[in-house]
Amino acid sequence: MAESVRQLSALMRKEFLLEWRQRYALNGMLLYIVGAVFVCYLSFNARRGQLTPIVWNTLFWIILLFTAINAIAKSFVQERAGRQLYYYTLASPEQIILSKILYNTVLMLALSFLGFSVYAFVLGNPVQDVPLYILTLLLGAIGFAASLTLVSGIASKAENPATLMAVLSFPIILPLLLMVLKISKNALDGLDRSVSWNEIGIVLAIDAIVITLSWLLFPFLWRS
């Protein structure tokens, strides 16, 4: 157990160091969020409070979805074959996929909360139940990170990983996206939280299933 924790912490540290050395990638994602929000502001000629809650919510999750794809697509694509072979001799594939899921979850949480802050500041904040909306962001970030990390691992084995990543990600993300849209809409309307329990349970189940499948199936993908 102690050895597994040590391997996991070392792999997490490696992910953060790689991201820090390639700060242009992180800066690019931040610029993407701010630019997308500003383009929405200009496109709709919107002032605060003029967007309907449904349009406000849908635009935000579309921005967040494409931010997640751009941020997580490089998880395995940037790893060279020689480096992957080196990792294969040092750590178990379960530890590798878990470390990438955890790192991408932290990254998505940071981007989600930053995006929500910028979006609410520029286009106004019609959310009536902010804690429930933040919970939705948390569950959505975990789901996006786990699903897209596994898809990135699959796509990295193809000749054109970027295209395959885009093709595979949407069918997998769609059920999760529909659920978080419904929960966040309930938070926007200020409905009683008991109305959203079923959807929250479904999102938790999706997150658990994706993480479990990643843990079970990634070793076979890694050995190939």
Side-chain angles (χ1 to χ4, degrees):
M1 183 64 181
E3 180 65 21
S4 298
V5 174
R6 187 185 66 81
Q7 288 183 0
L8 186 60
S9 61
L11 290 170
M12 287 283 293
R13 182 172 178 270
K14 181 266 299 181
E15 294 291 340
F16 281 104
L17 285 176
L18 284 178
E19 191 66 54
W20 180 251
R21 291 174 181 175
Q22 300 175 356
R23 287 190 293 272
Y24 63 87
L26 181 60
N27 294 335
M29 287 181 283
L30 297 178
L31 181 61
Y32 176 84
I33 293 176
V34 176
V37 172
F38 187 65
V39 167
C40 289
Y41 176 81
L42 295 179
S43 299
F44 289 88
N45 195 22
R47 295 181 179 178
R48 294 185 182 183
Q50 290 188 351
L51 278 179
T52 62
I54 295 178
V55 176
W56 188 95
N57 190 45
T58 305
L59 281 175
F60 174 70
W61 282 103
I62 290 175
I63 293 173
L64 202 59
L65 172 62
F66 283 98
T67 301
I69 294 175
N70 290 329
I72 302 175
K74 59 183 177 56
S75 294
F76 288 95
V77 175
Q78 68 178 0
E79 304 282 5
R80 297 179 180 177
R83 184 183 294 175
Q84 292 183 0
L85 181 61
Y86 178 64
Y87 295 157
Y88 186 83
T89 62
L90 293 180
S92 65
E94 292 85 358
Q95 297 296 328
I96 291 174
I97 188 64
L98 187 58
S99 67
K100 287 188 176 292
I101 289 176
L102 289 175
Y103 168 75
N104 287 328
T105 299
V106 174
L107 179 62
M108 274 308 304
L109 285 173
L111 293 175
S112 298
F113 290 126
L114 176 65
F116 177 72
S117 301
V118 175
Y119 192 75
F121 177 77
V122 174
L123 297 177
N125 183 14
V127 179
Q128 298 186 38
D129 191 347
V130 176
L132 180 59
Y133 204 91
I134 291 176
L135 176 63
T136 308
L137 285 178
L138 175 64
L139 297 177
I142 296 173
F144 286 163
S147 302
L148 294 175
T149 300
L150 180 60
V151 172
S152 177
I154 297 173
S156 65
K157 303 298 181 180
E159 294 182 358
N160 194 346
T163 303
L164 188 59
M165 177 78 182
V167 171
L168 292 179
S169 59
F170 281 102
I172 296 176
I173 289 296
L174 189 58
L176 176 65
L177 184 61
L178 292 176
M179 288 296 104
V180 296
L181 279 171
K182 190 169 184 179
I183 300 172
S184 56
K185 178 61 170 58
N186 293 340
L188 278 169
D189 294 337
L191 300 180
D192 190 88
R193 294 180 183 178
S194 60
V195 177
S196 305
W197 289 136
N198 289 335
E199 287 77 13
I200 292 175
I202 293 174
V203 173
L204 286 171
I206 292 175
D207 292 350
I209 290 171
V210 172
I211 293 174
T212 303
L213 287 176
S214 300
W215 178 274
L216 294 175
L217 299 180
F218 184 74
F220 299 98
L221 180 66
W222 187 248
R223 294 188 187 100
S224 66

